Amino acid sequence: VFPEINDSEGHPSSSNQTLKGTSKWATSLENLLEDPEGVKRFREFLKKEFSEENVLFWLACEDFKKTQGKKQMQEKAKEIYMTFLSSKASSQVNVEGQSRLNETILETPHPLMFQKLQDQIFNLMKYDSYSRFLKSDIFLNHKKSEEQEENSPEAQTAAKRASRIYNT
């Protein structure tokens, strides 16, 4: 059992549960990708950078891992291959070892067959586009509109005032 982590005031720390929206997105790429709104904004940003295929590939791989049944796996694996990995792919991602990939991998699909490639793309996003996203107008404007919403008079309930004290 892990010892409870407390903040400076001695309250149990539950920063991940209390962070929402842009604050949570800014803590990690994982948090950003867990939030549908975050994914939407990140895609918007990547589209402007001409690299939206990276997040689309990552999402497709996440979905693929949950696929049940060999037939469905074969269909989805083929779709991922044709969309992102084949030399003729419409939204080709740039991964190491791509030239060695061919359709024979599709014959025996398994949930983690794209894991290495997915990890490469994740790292590419994490160390490249994610940091630029956090400085982008898309992110900053969304953050600003969130803050304006939070600071509107209707939002000033006692609970919100209390949570603001502990989260600053």
Side-chain angles (χ1 to χ4, degrees):
V1 180
F2 294 107
E4 203 170 289
I5 298 168
N6 295 315
D7 64 16
S8 59
E9 319 249 312
H11 301 286
S13 174
S14 59
S15 56
N16 270 359
Q17 285 84 351
T18 53
L19 288 177
K20 292 212 176 0
T22 52
S23 313
K24 193 167 185 174
W25 304 349
T27 57
S28 73
L29 180 55
E30 289 86 343
N31 284 341
L32 172 69
L33 294 171
E34 280 169 13
D35 182 341
E37 182 65 22
V39 168
K40 186 178 152 189
R41 301 295 169 169
F42 193 45
R43 280 184 63 182
E44 215 176 296
F45 170 74
L46 291 176
K47 205 176 275 183
K48 287 183 172 174
E49 290 214 325
F50 304 102
S51 61
E52 185 189 19
E53 68 279 357
N54 291 337
V55 74
L56 294 177
F57 173 71
W58 189 88
L59 292 165
C61 291
E62 281 300 284
D63 178 58
F64 178 76
K65 287 183 216 172
K66 298 174 197 134
T67 305
Q68 302 289 311
K70 190 175 181 192
K71 183 120 183 75
Q72 284 90 334
M73 284 181 89
Q74 282 176 321
E75 284 167 17
K76 278 191 182 177
K78 184 173 176 145
E79 197 179 314
I80 288 172
Y81 179 79
M82 298 313 273
T83 309
F84 301 106
L85 301 168
S86 144
S87 56
K88 302 175 201 75
S90 53
S91 301
Q92 193 178 28
V93 291
N94 189 6
V95 286
E96 224 174 280
Q98 199 153 18
S99 57
R100 294 191 301 271
L101 279 179
N102 61 48
E103 291 187 47
T104 57
I105 64 162
L106 306 176
E107 290 161 20
T108 53
H110 59 89
L112 300 177
M113 66 189 279
F114 296 118
Q115 189 64 53
K116 271 190 180 140
L117 304 177
Q118 185 186 11
D119 290 344
Q120 276 186 47
I121 290 299
F122 180 84
N123 286 328
L124 178 73
M125 292 190 300
K126 183 175 183 171
Y127 297 111
D128 186 39
S129 37
Y130 173 64
S131 52
R132 284 199 308 280
F133 170 70
L134 295 179
K135 296 176 192 125
S136 73
D137 288 346
I138 292 173
F139 177 80
L140 297 171
N141 292 339
H142 192 72
K143 185 178 179 173
K144 197 182 294 172
S145 69
E146 266 182 2
E147 286 162 359
Q148 285 166 347
E149 246 171 64
E150 244 178 54
N151 295 326
S152 68
E154 313 86 74
Q156 294 291 343
T157 62
K160 286 224 173 176
R161 280 195 301 274
S163 76
R164 194 166 288 123
I165 294 164
Y166 294 115
N167 288 333
T168 50

XYZ file of all heavy atoms in Angstrom, residues 48-112:
529
model
N -3.214 21.849 -38.772
C -2.515 23.059 -39.222
C -1.032 22.768 -39.458
O -0.388 23.446 -40.244
C -2.649 24.176 -38.186
C -4.034 24.769 -38.159
C -4.127 25.918 -37.187
C -5.470 26.596 -37.359
N -5.728 27.633 -36.393
N -0.494 21.802 -38.742
C 0.918 21.428 -38.886
C 1.108 20.318 -39.931
O 2.206 19.811 -40.087
C 1.448 20.910 -37.550
C 1.589 21.958 -36.488
C 2.780 21.676 -35.592
O 3.083 20.503 -35.329
O 3.422 22.653 -35.178
N 0.037 19.904 -40.564
C 0.069 18.821 -41.540
C 0.588 17.522 -40.938
O 1.344 16.790 -41.570
C 0.885 19.216 -42.782
C 0.388 20.476 -43.419
C 1.040 21.683 -43.219
C -0.777 20.476 -44.170
C 0.550 22.861 -43.777
C -1.279 21.639 -44.733
C -0.610 22.836 -44.536
N 0.211 17.238 -39.690
C 0.625 15.958 -39.098
C -0.509 15.315 -38.300
O -0.265 14.604 -37.337
C 1.876 16.151 -38.231
O 1.609 17.041 -37.166
N -1.746 15.576 -38.712
C -2.897 15.008 -38.018
C -2.896 13.482 -38.075
O -3.408 12.816 -37.182
C -4.204 15.547 -38.628
C -5.440 15.097 -37.879
C -6.753 15.437 -38.577
O -6.748 15.704 -39.792
O -7.787 15.417 -37.898
N -2.273 12.919 -39.117
C -2.255 11.453 -39.242
C -1.620 10.793 -38.019
O -1.965 9.667 -37.682
C -1.536 11.017 -40.529
C -0.049 11.273 -40.593
C 0.340 12.711 -40.963
O -0.564 13.539 -41.228
O 1.543 13.004 -40.983
N -0.712 11.481 -37.335
C -0.069 10.881 -36.157
C -1.082 10.550 -35.073
O -1.116 9.425 -34.570
C 1.021 11.802 -35.595
C 2.212 11.894 -36.526
O 2.441 11.009 -37.342
N 2.961 12.963 -36.423
N -1.911 11.517 -34.712
C -2.893 11.262 -33.652
C -3.980 10.314 -34.158
O -4.474 9.475 -33.409
C -3.457 12.571 -33.038
C -4.446 13.263 -33.966
C -4.100 12.293 -31.679
N -4.322 10.392 -35.425
C -5.338 9.472 -35.982
C -4.826 8.029 -35.936
O -5.565 7.114 -35.603
C -5.711 9.871 -37.412
C -6.428 11.220 -37.557
C -6.668 11.541 -39.024
C -7.727 11.244 -36.780
N -3.549 7.843 -36.263
C -2.941 6.520 -36.201
C -2.940 6.019 -34.756
O -3.302 4.876 -34.476
C -1.505 6.563 -36.760
C -0.742 5.275 -36.581
C -1.071 4.148 -37.331
C 0.301 5.189 -35.675
C -0.368 2.947 -37.165
C 1.011 3.995 -35.503
C 0.671 2.883 -36.256
N -2.531 6.882 -33.825
C -2.484 6.500 -32.410
C -3.878 6.074 -31.928
O -4.025 5.042 -31.280
C -1.937 7.665 -31.564
C -1.679 7.250 -30.161
C -0.533 6.710 -29.668
C -2.597 7.288 -29.060
N -0.682 6.414 -28.330
C -1.938 6.767 -27.934
C -3.920 7.725 -28.919
C -2.542 6.655 -26.680
C -4.524 7.617 -27.665
C -3.837 7.089 -26.575
N -4.891 6.850 -32.277
C -6.271 6.532 -31.869
C -6.739 5.224 -32.512
O -7.390 4.404 -31.855
C -7.222 7.676 -32.247
C -7.022 8.983 -31.464
C -7.748 10.125 -32.160
C -7.484 8.842 -30.023
N -6.391 5.026 -33.777
C -6.775 3.795 -34.480
C -6.135 2.582 -33.795
O -6.774 1.534 -33.636
C -6.357 3.868 -35.949
N -4.886 2.717 -33.359
C -4.195 1.619 -32.663
C -4.843 1.339 -31.314
O -4.986 0.172 -30.925
C -2.714 1.943 -32.471
S -1.783 1.957 -34.006
N -5.237 2.385 -30.606
C -5.921 2.205 -29.313
C -7.218 1.421 -29.522
O -7.530 0.495 -28.787
C -6.250 3.564 -28.676
C -5.077 4.223 -28.003
C -4.480 3.392 -26.878
O -5.080 3.332 -25.791
O -3.398 2.802 -27.082
N -7.956 1.812 -30.539
C -9.212 1.153 -30.863
C -8.958 -0.305 -31.272
O -9.662 -1.219 -30.848
C -9.903 1.922 -32.003
C -11.199 1.256 -32.436
O -12.091 1.090 -31.579
O -11.302 0.882 -33.622
N -7.905 -0.518 -32.057
C -7.559 -1.852 -32.540
C -7.298 -2.810 -31.381
O -7.699 -3.967 -31.411
C -6.336 -1.777 -33.459
C -5.869 -3.113 -33.963
C -6.567 -3.755 -34.975
C -4.758 -3.737 -33.416
C -6.147 -5.005 -35.444
C -4.339 -4.974 -33.873
C -5.038 -5.612 -34.886
N -6.613 -2.337 -30.337
C -6.275 -3.190 -29.185
C -7.526 -3.752 -28.499
O -7.455 -4.782 -27.853
C -5.471 -2.400 -28.154
C -4.060 -2.124 -28.576
C -3.352 -1.407 -27.434
C -2.400 -0.385 -27.932
N -1.845 0.439 -26.870
N -8.645 -3.052 -28.636
C -9.884 -3.489 -27.971
C -10.731 -4.389 -28.878
O -11.783 -4.854 -28.487
C -10.725 -2.264 -27.578
C -10.025 -1.359 -26.597
C -10.840 -0.097 -26.358
C -9.987 0.982 -25.737
N -10.171 2.280 -26.361
N -10.267 -4.605 -30.101
C -11.036 -5.379 -31.074
C -11.054 -6.862 -30.710
O -10.030 -7.442 -30.384
C -10.434 -5.191 -32.486
O -10.387 -3.796 -32.747
C -11.280 -5.872 -33.544
N -12.250 -7.435 -30.767
C -12.421 -8.865 -30.478
C -12.672 -9.604 -31.788
O -13.284 -9.057 -32.696
C -13.643 -9.057 -29.562
C -13.571 -8.306 -28.243
C -12.547 -8.901 -27.295
O -12.521 -10.104 -27.066
N -11.688 -8.058 -26.749
N -12.233 -10.833 -31.863
C -12.527 -11.668 -33.032
C -11.520 -11.481 -34.142
O -11.185 -10.362 -34.506
N -11.059 -12.624 -34.690
C -10.000 -12.590 -35.696
C -10.434 -11.828 -36.953
O -9.662 -11.059 -37.503
C -9.576 -14.017 -36.048
C -8.319 -14.041 -36.895
C -7.790 -15.422 -37.163
C -6.516 -15.288 -38.001
N -6.065 -16.535 -38.547
N -11.672 -12.046 -37.390
C -12.153 -11.404 -38.622
C -12.136 -9.873 -38.483
O -11.615 -9.178 -39.343
C -13.560 -11.910 -38.955
C -14.119 -11.354 -40.244
C -14.422 -12.462 -41.233
C -14.904 -11.920 -42.562
N -13.833 -11.348 -43.375
N -12.688 -9.382 -37.359
C -12.708 -7.928 -37.132
C -11.283 -7.387 -37.026
O -10.987 -6.311 -37.529
C -13.459 -7.559 -35.840
C -14.958 -7.648 -35.960
C -15.478 -9.050 -35.601
O -14.769 -10.047 -35.726
N -16.718 -9.119 -35.165
N -10.415 -8.160 -36.349
C -9.026 -7.725 -36.212
C -8.352 -7.626 -37.577
O -7.634 -6.670 -37.854
C -8.239 -8.680 -35.309
C -8.555 -8.498 -33.850
S -7.572 -9.614 -32.863
C -6.147 -8.591 -32.606
N -8.613 -8.626 -38.430
C -8.010 -8.604 -39.766
C -8.491 -7.385 -40.546
O -7.697 -6.711 -41.195
C -8.350 -9.886 -40.535
C -7.497 -11.059 -40.101
C -7.895 -12.356 -40.789
O -9.075 -12.629 -40.998
N -6.910 -13.164 -41.110
N -9.793 -7.107 -40.451
C -10.350 -5.962 -41.180
C -9.749 -4.651 -40.679
O -9.329 -3.805 -41.470
C -11.874 -5.929 -41.041
C -12.560 -6.967 -41.917
C -14.037 -7.165 -41.569
O -14.623 -6.292 -40.883
O -14.598 -8.193 -41.977
N -9.707 -4.497 -39.352
C -9.164 -3.247 -38.786
C -7.667 -3.128 -39.043
O -7.171 -2.044 -39.326
C -9.449 -3.160 -37.289
C -10.842 -2.658 -37.002
C -11.008 -2.315 -35.539
C -12.439 -1.861 -35.289
N -12.674 -1.588 -33.877
N -6.949 -4.234 -38.938
C -5.495 -4.214 -39.185
C -5.232 -3.782 -40.623
O -4.355 -2.959 -40.884
C -4.889 -5.587 -38.915
N -6.034 -4.311 -41.532
C -5.867 -3.958 -42.949
C -6.162 -2.469 -43.157
O -5.444 -1.776 -43.870
C -6.787 -4.814 -43.818
C -6.566 -4.558 -45.291
C -7.326 -5.486 -46.184
C -7.075 -5.028 -47.591
N -6.976 -5.899 -48.601
N -7.211 -2.002 -42.497
C -7.583 -0.585 -42.608
C -6.450 0.309 -42.082
O -6.072 1.287 -42.720
C -8.862 -0.356 -41.789
C -9.579 0.915 -42.137
C -10.855 1.066 -41.305
O -11.615 0.091 -41.180
O -11.063 2.169 -40.771
N -5.889 -0.050 -40.938
C -4.778 0.720 -40.358
C -3.582 0.690 -41.313
O -2.975 1.714 -41.595
C -4.394 0.178 -38.961
C -5.478 0.548 -37.947
C -3.031 0.720 -38.518
C -5.304 -0.083 -36.570
N -3.283 -0.505 -41.821
C -2.152 -0.651 -42.729
C -2.342 0.211 -43.977
O -1.461 0.979 -44.363
C -1.960 -2.123 -43.118
C -0.817 -2.325 -44.080
C 0.503 -2.341 -43.615
C -1.039 -2.471 -45.442
C 1.567 -2.496 -44.492
C 0.021 -2.624 -46.330
C 1.320 -2.630 -45.854
O 2.371 -2.765 -46.720
N -3.527 0.086 -44.597
C -3.786 0.801 -45.852
C -3.848 2.322 -45.640
O -3.447 3.087 -46.501
C -5.102 0.325 -46.499
C -5.087 -1.151 -46.891
S -3.602 -1.669 -47.785
C -4.062 -1.282 -49.456
N -4.356 2.753 -44.491
C -4.510 4.185 -44.226
C -3.218 4.855 -43.786
O -2.943 5.980 -44.167
C -5.599 4.414 -43.144
O -6.779 3.704 -43.522
C -5.935 5.886 -42.986
N -2.426 4.145 -42.969
C -1.289 4.809 -42.336
C 0.094 4.238 -42.660
O 1.094 4.931 -42.505
C -1.444 4.772 -40.806
C -2.704 5.425 -40.313
C -3.760 4.660 -39.851
C -2.829 6.811 -40.313
C -4.922 5.266 -39.386
C -3.984 7.429 -39.846
C -5.036 6.648 -39.383
N 0.187 2.968 -43.041
C 1.500 2.326 -43.112
C 1.961 1.931 -44.510
O 3.164 1.874 -44.766
C 1.519 1.096 -42.196
C 1.231 1.401 -40.718
C 0.987 0.110 -39.949
C 2.353 2.213 -40.100
N 1.047 1.622 -45.379
C 1.415 1.188 -46.728
C 2.114 2.330 -47.464
O 1.893 3.502 -47.165
C 0.132 0.781 -47.468
O 0.190 1.125 -48.824
N 2.942 1.976 -48.448
C 3.624 3.023 -49.215
C 2.623 3.864 -50.007
O 2.926 4.972 -50.414
C 4.662 2.404 -50.148
O 4.018 1.462 -50.974
N 1.421 3.331 -50.207
C 0.382 4.079 -50.931
C -0.641 4.690 -49.972
O -1.699 5.155 -50.393
C -0.353 3.151 -51.901
C 0.536 2.478 -52.924
C -0.281 1.487 -53.752
C 0.551 0.436 -54.428
N 1.040 -0.617 -53.526
N -0.346 4.672 -48.674
C -1.306 5.147 -47.676
C -1.698 6.604 -47.904
O -0.864 7.431 -48.255
C -0.720 4.984 -46.280
N -2.979 6.880 -47.662
C -3.488 8.244 -47.844
C -3.006 9.175 -46.733
O -2.805 10.357 -46.944
C -5.015 8.217 -47.889
O -5.513 7.532 -46.746
N -2.815 8.623 -45.526
C -2.375 9.439 -44.375
C -1.155 8.786 -43.751
O -1.150 8.458 -42.572
C -3.488 9.520 -43.329
O -4.639 10.078 -43.873
N -0.128 8.588 -44.554
C 1.038 7.825 -44.100
C 1.740 8.467 -42.903
O 1.972 9.666 -42.887
C 2.023 7.684 -45.249
C 3.102 6.656 -44.977
C 4.042 6.494 -46.164
O 4.248 7.411 -46.942
N 4.616 5.321 -46.294
N 2.025 7.631 -41.896
C 2.825 8.091 -40.768
C 4.277 7.699 -41.039
O 4.540 6.756 -41.777
C 2.352 7.499 -39.407
C 1.005 8.064 -39.011
C 2.322 5.983 -39.426
N 5.181 8.427 -40.425
C 6.600 8.185 -40.665
C 7.175 7.405 -39.492
O 7.451 7.970 -38.448
C 7.292 9.547 -40.820
C 8.710 9.391 -41.278
O 9.163 8.288 -41.581
N 9.433 10.483 -41.307
N 7.294 6.083 -39.650
C 7.834 5.242 -38.580
C 9.024 4.448 -39.081
O 9.125 4.143 -40.260
C 6.765 4.277 -37.997
C 5.779 5.018 -37.120
C 6.042 3.512 -39.088
N 9.902 4.122 -38.135
C 11.091 3.349 -38.446
C 10.708 1.940 -38.880
O 9.807 1.336 -38.309
C 11.921 3.244 -37.169
C 13.390 3.467 -37.381
C 14.090 3.500 -36.047
O 14.045 4.556 -35.387
O 14.652 2.460 -35.672
N 11.393 1.416 -39.862
C 11.141 0.049 -40.298
C 9.936 -0.068 -41.220
O 9.490 -1.162 -41.539
N 9.412 1.064 -41.643
C 8.213 1.072 -42.484
C 8.432 0.358 -43.813
O 7.560 -0.341 -44.302
C 7.836 2.524 -42.763
C 6.425 2.689 -43.215
C 5.929 4.073 -42.835
O 6.701 4.960 -42.558
N 4.644 4.219 -42.802
N 9.621 0.512 -44.379
C 9.892 -0.085 -45.683
C 9.849 -1.614 -45.606
O 9.606 -2.279 -46.602
C 11.256 0.378 -46.191
O 12.245 0.044 -45.230
N 10.073 -2.166 -44.395
C 10.042 -3.627 -44.239
C 8.631 -4.157 -44.000
O 8.403 -5.351 -43.999
C 10.947 -4.034 -43.078
C 12.421 -3.754 -43.345
C 13.309 -4.392 -42.301
N 13.027 -3.922 -40.949
C 13.589 -2.862 -40.384
N 14.446 -2.132 -41.068
N 13.300 -2.516 -39.155
N 7.693 -3.248 -43.722
C 6.319 -3.680 -43.454
C 5.647 -4.111 -44.744
O 5.778 -3.444 -45.760
C 5.503 -2.511 -42.893
C 5.630 -2.190 -41.420
C 4.754 -0.986 -41.100
C 5.226 -3.363 -40.560
N 4.948 -5.202 -44.682
C 4.132 -5.552 -45.840
C 2.860 -6.245 -45.385
O 2.673 -6.506 -44.196
C 4.926 -6.395 -46.848
C 5.387 -7.692 -46.224
O 4.603 -8.404 -45.590
N 6.655 -8.017 -46.405
N 1.992 -6.539 -46.322
C 0.669 -7.035 -45.981
C 0.655 -8.407 -45.309
O -0.367 -8.810 -44.778
C -0.227 -7.026 -47.230
C -0.541 -5.606 -47.665
C -1.558 -5.532 -48.797
O -2.587 -6.223 -48.697
O -1.311 -4.788 -49.755
N 1.773 -9.128 -45.309
C 1.774 -10.450 -44.672
C 1.507 -10.344 -43.168
O 0.969 -11.269 -42.572
C 3.112 -11.204 -44.896
O 4.169 -10.387 -44.396
C 3.327 -11.520 -46.362
N 1.840 -9.191 -42.568
C 1.574 -9.028 -41.133
C 0.076 -9.063 -40.835
O -0.330 -9.351 -39.722
C 2.176 -7.721 -40.539
C 1.531 -6.482 -41.164
C 3.684 -7.692 -40.639
C 1.724 -5.209 -40.370
N -0.731 -8.796 -41.845
C -2.180 -8.727 -41.644
C -2.830 -10.104 -41.526
O -3.953 -10.221 -41.065
C -2.837 -7.948 -42.787
C -2.262 -6.541 -43.032
C -2.924 -5.909 -44.232
C -2.419 -5.662 -41.800
N -2.106 -11.135 -41.940
C -2.691 -12.478 -41.933
C -2.850 -13.024 -40.526
O -3.769 -13.805 -40.261
C -1.837 -13.423 -42.795
C -1.959 -13.093 -44.281
C -0.822 -13.658 -45.115
O -0.146 -14.613 -44.650
O -0.608 -13.150 -46.231
N -1.962 -12.668 -39.632
C -2.064 -13.160 -38.254
C -2.094 -11.980 -37.280
O -1.110 -11.694 -36.596
C -0.871 -14.078 -37.907
O 0.329 -13.357 -38.213
C -0.915 -15.375 -38.682
N -3.217 -11.281 -37.229
C -3.299 -10.093 -36.379
C -3.329 -10.452 -34.892
O -3.832 -11.510 -34.520
C -4.620 -9.448 -36.800
C -5.450 -10.578 -37.284
C -4.501 -11.556 -37.899
N -2.749 -9.598 -34.076
C -2.877 -9.743 -32.626
C -2.965 -8.336 -32.035
O -2.493 -7.376 -32.653
C -1.718 -10.571 -32.038
C -0.374 -10.000 -32.302
N 0.229 -9.087 -31.459
C 0.481 -10.173 -33.340
C 1.398 -8.744 -31.958
N 1.583 -9.386 -33.102
N -3.580 -8.190 -30.856
C -3.883 -6.861 -30.310
C -2.704 -5.894 -30.245
O -2.874 -4.698 -30.384
C -4.411 -7.149 -28.902
C -4.911 -8.541 -28.974
C -4.059 -9.254 -29.979
N -1.485 -6.414 -30.056
C -0.342 -5.506 -29.891
C 0.553 -5.423 -31.133
O 1.682 -4.953 -31.055
C 0.477 -5.918 -28.663
C -0.292 -5.891 -27.336
C 0.569 -6.385 -26.198
C -0.833 -4.506 -27.039
